[in-house]
């Protein structure tokens, strides 16, 4: 008896028994074998079966019928193991003799090293499938979302009830996942595909709903980048009537593992890129914007305020006596003092406000939609909080103070440079008045 397993990237595998005589394949619902694919013709192909022979005909379809990656133009006598492709659908043909399982299924159990040859073979056999999967994953930037998509694609591709992706940072907690961890560790340690046709006699697992269930068939594939196993894809079946995983399931899972590796690499590179971008605009000590970034933001906010005639206040804050703190208590305490100033200043800022460190002991704060009086009030709250928050040292608590100059975008100020200069003049006035003071631009 000839049997077909039809697979696509968007649905679970469907099994058909090829009946004696004519079997039509196509998009029309009245075909013997339905190919739900826009690339398939309404009446696409035909398989004529007699005794142990099955012959495949293309019925003049628009996009062609392919057997083992070659488009057929004349009748093709099928051999067990042939792969037929119509559009995005792949059809695996196998012959069952005297009711016994196809040899492709019966021979599949145990481990298979995930070698380069197996990977290339799997990618080659399922290039169309991978192209569809890749197009889905390319538009997903969040790694967790991408892994959910990979798990869902795997589940449908191999016809499993459940599948998932385990990242390497979870390998030390496999027992918490409710899965047969011995099988999973075997896949990780041996860097191999592991297929267990029947695990019910040895393992019990808890399903996501918390109910005890028996796993019938289990498949897991390591995801390898260079020499490291960075993740593992697993899939399992609990239905006793379901077919066991076959070599085509293995190839699909291996092909998907390759796409998973690319996705994890891309996410890692994106994260590193974002980290470097953040480092380029962040002061490493305080975590605030650095000089270049706060001045860039100040320019943007000044132009926006001027365009819409909205108020904008700018504060320049200077830590009083940083050199004396460094000389008396060491630079580590001086660093703590700067961090304390940054932390206590941020407590009084809104999301729309900006703060950055522009020098060794100097900070700039932009208060959006704030006039001069509002800037003075905010500066006083910041100054008082910093004064009331001494830092602890081995020699005892050290009180730190700041001087703050305040300026606002009055009509006579035409640029952000002039606004900064006005705040700087006010800061000097506060310093001359004895420090730990607030001064506003005249």
């Amino acid at each position: 008896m000839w049997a077909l397993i039809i697979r696509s990237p968007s649905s679970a595998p469907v099994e058909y028994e090829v009946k004696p005589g004519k079997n039509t394949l196509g998009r029309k619902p009245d075909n013997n074998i339905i190919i739900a694919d826009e690339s398939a013709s309404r009446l696409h192909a035909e398989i004529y079966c007699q005794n142990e022979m099955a012959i495949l005909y293309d019925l003049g379809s628009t996009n062609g019928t392919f057997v083992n990656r070659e488009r057929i133009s004349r009748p093709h006598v099928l051999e067990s193991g042939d792969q037929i492709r119509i559009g995005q659908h792949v059809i695996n043909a196998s012959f069952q003799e005297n009711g016994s399982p196809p040899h492709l299924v019966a021979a599949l159990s145990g481990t298979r090293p995930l070698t380069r040859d197996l990977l290339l073979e799997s990618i080659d056999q399922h290039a169309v499938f991978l192209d569809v999967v890749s197009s889905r994953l390319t538009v997903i930037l969040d790694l967790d979302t991408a892994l959910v998509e990979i798990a869902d694609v795997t589940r449908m591709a191999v016809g499993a009830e459940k599948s998932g992706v385990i990242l390497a940072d979870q390998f030390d907690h496999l027992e918490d996942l409710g899965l047969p961890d011995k099988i999973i560790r075997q896949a990780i340690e041996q860097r191999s595909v592991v297929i267990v046709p029947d695990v019910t006699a040895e393992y019990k697992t808890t399903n996501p709903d918390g109910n005890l269930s028996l796993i019938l068939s289990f498949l897991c594939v390591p995801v390898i980048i260079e020499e490291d196993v960075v993740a593992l894809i697993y899939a399992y079946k609990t239905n006793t009537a379901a077919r066991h995983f076959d070599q085509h399931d293995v190839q699909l899972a291996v092909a998907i593992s390759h796409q998973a590796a690319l996705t994890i690499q891309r996410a890692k590179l994106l994260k590193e890129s974002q980290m470097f971008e953040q480092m380029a605009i962040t002061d490493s000590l305080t975590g605030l914007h650095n000089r270049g970034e706060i001045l860039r933001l100040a320019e943007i906010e000044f132009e926006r305020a001027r365009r819409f005639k909205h108020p904008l206040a700018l504060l320049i804050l200077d830590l009083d006596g940083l050199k004396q703190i460094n000389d008396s208590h060491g630079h580590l305490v001086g660093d703590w003092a700067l961090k304390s100033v940054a932390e206590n200043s941020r407590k009084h800022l809104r999301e729309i406000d900006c703060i950055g460190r522009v020098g060794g002991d100097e900070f700039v704060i932009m208060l959006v939609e704030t006039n001069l009086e509002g800037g003075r009030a905010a500066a006083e709250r910041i100054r008082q909080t910093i004064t009331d928050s001494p830092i602890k040292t081995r020699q005892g608590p050290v009180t730190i103070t700041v001087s703050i100059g305040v300026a606002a975008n009055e009509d006579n100020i035409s640029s952000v440079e002039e606004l900064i200069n006005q705040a700087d003049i006010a800061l000097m006035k506060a310093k001359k008045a004895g420090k730990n003071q607030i001064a506003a631009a005249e």
Side-chain angles (χ1 to χ4, degrees):
M1 179 186 73
W2 280 90
L4 305 178
I5 298 179
I6 303 178
R7 308 167 192 267
S8 81
S10 57
S11 61
V14 179
E15 299 181 57
Y16 284 95
E17 178 183 327
V18 181
K19 299 178 181 179
K22 183 172 69 174
N23 299 260
T24 58
L25 297 82
R27 191 158 37 89
K28 285 174 58 178
D30 58 352
N31 281 289
N32 301 104
I33 299 169
I34 300 170
I35 309 295
D37 193 314
E38 293 182 357
S39 299
S41 299
R42 292 173 62 81
L43 185 61
H44 194 102
E46 174 185 302
I47 296 177
Y48 186 82
C49 186
Q50 185 176 9
N51 298 326
E52 297 180 1
M53 180 177 290
I55 304 175
L56 175 66
Y57 302 83
D58 180 81
L59 300 179
S61 64
T62 302
N63 296 310
T65 303
F66 296 79
V67 177
N68 302 328
R69 300 185 300 282
E70 292 186 6
R71 183 169 182 168
I72 63 171
S73 57
R74 55 187 180 182
H76 176 85
V77 179
L78 289 175
E79 295 182 5
S80 190
D82 275 350
Q83 184 185 82
I84 306 164
R85 182 173 66 80
I86 296 175
Q88 294 181 357
H89 284 63
V90 173
I91 306 169
N92 301 117
S94 59
F95 181 72
Q96 290 180 258
E97 189 171 359
N98 299 325
S100 61
H103 70 278
L104 293 175
V105 176
L108 198 67
S109 178
T111 62
R112 185 174 178 185
L114 185 50
T115 61
R116 178 178 174 82
D117 288 343
L118 175 58
L119 180 61
L120 293 176
E121 170 192 310
S122 301
I123 294 171
D124 183 52
Q125 289 290 326
H126 299 282
V128 175
F129 178 91
L130 273 185
D131 184 59
V132 175
V133 174
S134 175
S135 65
R136 288 188 195 176
L137 293 175
T138 300
V139 297
I140 302 175
L141 299 180
D142 177 66
L143 179 58
D144 290 337
T145 305
L147 296 181
V148 171
E149 179 72 13
I150 290 169
D152 194 49
V153 167
T154 303
R155 178 184 58 78
M156 288 192 297
V158 301
E161 278 82 33
K162 174 69 175 176
S163 67
V165 183
I166 306 170
L167 292 176
D169 57 10
Q170 297 175 285
F171 288 172
D172 292 334
H173 307 284
L174 293 177
E175 63 278 0
D176 300 333
L177 301 177
L179 297 169
D181 60 291
K182 290 182 181 179
I183 299 176
I184 293 176
R185 291 193 186 283
Q186 184 180 19
I188 297 168
E189 292 166 5
Q190 297 183 13
R191 301 159 57 88
S192 298
V193 181
V194 180
I195 315 99
V196 181
D198 187 358
V199 296
T200 57
E202 299 180 50
Y203 297 97
K204 284 188 176 182
T205 62
T206 304
N207 66 18
D209 297 325
N211 300 319
L212 202 64
S213 63
L214 296 177
I215 291 179
L216 175 66
S217 300
F218 197 85
L219 165 67
C220 51
V221 180
V223 179
I224 299 175
I225 297 178
E226 295 180 352
E227 298 299 321
D228 298 322
V229 178
V230 298
L232 184 132
I233 299 174
Y234 69 87
Y236 64 77
K237 301 182 181 185
T238 59
N239 185 355
T240 56
R243 64 178 179 82
H244 292 314
F245 293 117
D246 62 25
Q247 75 171 21
H248 299 291
D249 295 319
V250 170
Q251 287 179 340
L252 277 165
V254 169
I256 293 170
S257 78
H258 172 68
Q259 193 61 55
L262 295 177
T263 301
I264 292 171
Q265 274 186 314
R266 187 185 69 209
K268 181 181 178 182
L269 290 173
L270 180 61
K271 185 176 181 179
E272 289 178 351
S273 174
Q274 291 171 339
M275 182 183 66
F276 288 136
E277 287 179 8
Q278 190 64 29
M279 288 172 61
I281 62 173
T282 303
D283 175 59
S284 59
L285 177 65
T286 63
L288 303 179
H289 296 306
N290 60 20
R291 177 184 179 84
E293 181 65 5
I294 191 61
L295 294 180
R296 184 185 73 84
L297 293 174
E299 182 74 38
I300 292 172
E301 293 299 341
F302 182 86
E303 291 300 324
R304 181 183 290 121
R306 182 170 66 173
R307 179 181 178 185
F308 296 104
K309 301 188 185 314
H310 288 188
L312 176 70
L314 185 143
L315 281 56
I316 296 184
L317 179 153
D318 187 85
L319 173 56
D320 297 327
L322 178 61
K323 183 178 185 305
Q324 287 77 9
I325 293 174
N326 286 332
D327 291 344
S328 301
H329 302 281
H331 286 275
L332 182 59
V333 174
D335 289 346
W336 290 347
L338 290 168
K339 289 178 182 179
S340 177
V341 169
E343 181 181 345
N344 286 297
S345 297
R346 275 192 289 206
K347 291 178 181 178
H348 297 282
L349 302 183
R350 304 159 296 176
E351 275 191 42
I352 58 174
D353 299 328
C354 309
I355 180 172
R357 183 183 175 201
V358 294
D361 54 2
E362 199 166 83
F363 301 79
V364 165
I365 300 173
M366 300 291 298
L367 300 175
V368 179
E369 301 290 343
T370 305
N371 60 20
L372 187 63
E373 286 308 309
R376 284 176 60 95
E380 176 57 28
R381 289 194 296 270
I382 292 170
R383 185 200 65 78
Q384 190 64 54
T385 300
I386 292 171
T387 303
D388 295 342
S389 305
I391 57 175
K392 296 178 181 180
T393 70
R394 292 179 179 178
Q395 291 79 30
V398 174
T399 299
I400 54 177
T401 63
V402 293
S403 300
I404 305 176
V406 185
N409 59 335
E410 306 294 347
D411 292 339
N412 61 329
I413 296 180
S414 59
S415 67
V416 70
E417 289 81 7
E418 189 174 352
L419 180 63
I420 292 172
N421 186 55
Q422 289 293 319
D424 200 40
I425 292 172
L427 173 64
M428 292 302 104
K429 186 163 61 173
K431 288 282 190 182
K432 289 179 181 178
K435 301 181 181 180
N436 194 20
Q437 301 281 327
I438 304 295
E442 297 179 357

